Amino acid sequence: MNKKTDIRFMRVFCFVIVFLLGHGLSAQNLTGIWRGKRTQVSGGCYPEYSLELHVYYVNNNQIMGNAFNFFDKEHYTKINFTGRYNPASKRLVIIENAVVEFNVPNNCIPCIKTYDLNFSENGKPSFDGEWKGHEMGNENICPPGKIHLEKESIPVFP
């Protein structure tokens, strides 16, 4: 190889490396705090809740974490969840497993939910979708609703 060929090779090689690194960096980083709103059709305890997901484990597109559903810091549920993310379709399905702790009004029953969310990155990384579920301790259906979440850096719940 001559000097010109070496330089061309290095340019192409560097371009490929930069392209691959850039492509890898654009992959969604799901770990961290995702916060937003969860609505519920009539018949639920509140028509709108705040929702904060703490995603602390991601491996092979499977995730684990805690969901904090809250009206305010005094009225909340903390529920463990697992989920699966499909990077091709940008779809995230989360299944809440067990209520860890809760403080809700006496006439309310925590709802164990399944979320069906879609990722987008129009400005700030976000998830939008729907949820459905059943009451804790029985199979009574909870009134379903919608979810909007955005990536945040500071949690409301530690």
Side-chain angles (χ1 to χ4, degrees):
M1 279 198 209
N2 62 34
K3 214 172 205 183
K4 283 186 178 183
T5 306
D6 287 344
I7 291 172
R8 276 191 227 136
F9 174 78
M10 288 305 292
R11 284 183 182 166
V12 170
F13 179 76
C14 289
F15 175 78
V16 169
I17 294 299
V18 169
F19 175 78
L20 291 174
L21 286 175
H23 182 70
L25 292 175
S26 70
Q28 293 77 36
N29 179 7
L30 300 181
T31 58
I33 307 300
W34 294 87
R35 186 172 46 248
K37 297 291 181 188
R38 176 175 69 87
T39 61
Q40 187 170 30
V41 297
S42 64
C45 198
Y46 303 107
E48 185 174 275
Y49 298 78
S50 293
L51 172 60
E52 185 170 277
L53 299 182
H54 293 203
V55 179
Y56 57 80
Y57 175 82
V58 178
N59 187 15
N60 293 327
N61 300 323
Q62 296 193 27
I63 68 170
M64 293 174 66
N66 293 308
F68 293 87
N69 294 272
F70 58 101
F71 181 73
D72 56 35
K73 281 197 82 168
E74 301 299 316
H75 300 96
Y76 68 93
T77 61
K78 177 183 179 183
I79 305 174
N80 290 340
F81 68 79
T82 57
R84 187 161 187 82
Y85 181 69
N86 181 332
S89 66
K90 297 186 176 186
R91 181 174 176 225
L92 173 64
V93 175
I94 291 177
I95 300 170
E96 293 181 340
N97 302 307
V99 176
V100 177
E101 60 185 85
F102 65 95
N103 183 21
V104 297
N106 290 334
N107 62 328
C108 298
I109 300 172
C111 186
I112 299 172
K113 297 167 289 307
T114 299
Y115 309 9
D116 190 352
L117 306 171
N118 293 297
F119 180 81
S120 69
E121 200 162 12
N122 296 334
K124 193 170 192 178
S126 64
F127 280 101
D128 287 284
E130 300 179 345
W131 70 272
K132 61 184 177 181
H134 65 87
E135 293 177 350
M136 177 180 77
N138 63 57
E139 293 299 318
N140 293 339
I141 301 298
C142 299
K146 299 195 179 297
I147 295 175
H148 173 78
L149 301 170
E150 295 181 351
K151 188 84 181 246
E152 300 291 342
S153 56
I154 299 172
V156 170
F157 287 87

